[in-house]
Amino acid sequence: MSNTETRPAEVKCGGGAEAARPVDVEVLTARDVPLGGPRAMRVRRTLPQRARTLIGAWCFADHYGPDDVARTGGMDVAPHPHIGLQTVSWLFSGEIEHHDSLGTHARVRPGELNLMTGGRGISHSEVSTPDTTILHGVQLWVALPREHRDADSAFQHHVPDPVPFDGGEARVFLGSLAGDTSPVPTFTPLLGAELSLAPGAETVLRVDPAFEHGVLVDAGDVLVEDTAVQPAELGYTAPGRTTLTLTNRGTGTARLVLLGGPPFGEEIVMWWNFVGRSHNDIVQAREDWMKGSRFGEVQGYDGAPLPAPELPNAPLKPRGGAR
């Protein structure tokens, strides 16, 4: 998915907190962002933001829906570029058609992972299908570490099986949790999973103490440890925990997305759809996109590519690294 803001700010992406057992859960609220168009579908963005811009290598999290496609027009994101990152598409309902400059034509469906590696450069389009009535899901980005930021572009698809745990079930699309491990390789250690919690359930999950974690609540009356996290909010926990306690206080099933990874520990520059290491990286990527080089061509989309926004007047500065 593209960051379609017409004036995207420089994002100062930093690493996580020091590896000490935390006392509290940090609650991150989302901001509404339109995806563009006269009847723009809106998304709720919890990463990046001023309070916290990275959870492990996860650097971007959009949460959208349930969206009535008949009212909003759904998703229609024209071809756009990416460098230095991977996109992770995960749906709860609806279907999205994906075309990219590798020649990939794929469908994003509920419970199925589509992971695209941008590396040195890729472009793609995303359009909700005509049969979709309600569109609902998350779009996530992963920053690539310095040694792999120019990796070959790629596309991977995986359908995780549901794995039961006490009080619910998990679909682990990246990393390991609840005795299940995704076969999809990553460039840094990561965790990504959809969790369902039964009404009234409390579960204690074993987690990697080297990881910081984010619990994005889609639906339910949820406690992360002893802290209430409302739907569309994200509860953050610092490294140092060996377990994570999740409670559904509601009468319906709660749905969560659990993200994790060790603090990223590198300085990066994130602007529009690009993750680089310097202002010049971003300038060059923008120039290449606008002149039609480096990113290839997307076949199968009826319309023109997205133009890049204007860069800010001030140089973009690398920020972040381990605290």
Side-chain angles (χ1 to χ4, degrees), residues 14-20 22 26 52 54 210 212 236-240 262-264 321-323:
E18 294 178 357
E26 179 184 352
R52 180 162 301 279
L54 279 165
E212 51 189 354
Y236 168 84
T237 65
F264 193 60
R323 296 178 182 176

Side-chain angles (χ1 to χ4, degrees), residues 97-177:
E97 189 171 20
H98 164 102
H99 289 90
D100 65 37
S101 54
L102 297 173
T104 308
H105 178 208
R107 299 294 179 100
V108 185
R109 298 185 175 96
E112 300 185 6
L113 170 71
N114 279 6
L115 183 145
M116 185 183 73
T117 301
R120 186 175 183 277
I122 198 170
S123 56
H124 72 138
S125 64
E126 297 158 294
V127 180
S128 49
T129 61
D131 292 338
T132 295
T133 57
I134 300 296
L135 193 60
H136 189 188
V138 293
Q139 180 72 30
L140 311 165
W141 292 357
V142 177
L144 294 177
R146 183 181 302 276
E147 63 182 312
H148 298 295
R149 67 191 182 103
D150 290 329
D152 291 339
S153 301
F155 182 88
Q156 293 167 283
H157 177 80
H158 172 56
V159 183
D161 293 324
V163 177
F165 57 79
D166 185 21
E169 67 177 23
R171 286 176 168 81
V172 183
F173 50 85
L174 290 176
S176 298
L177 186 74

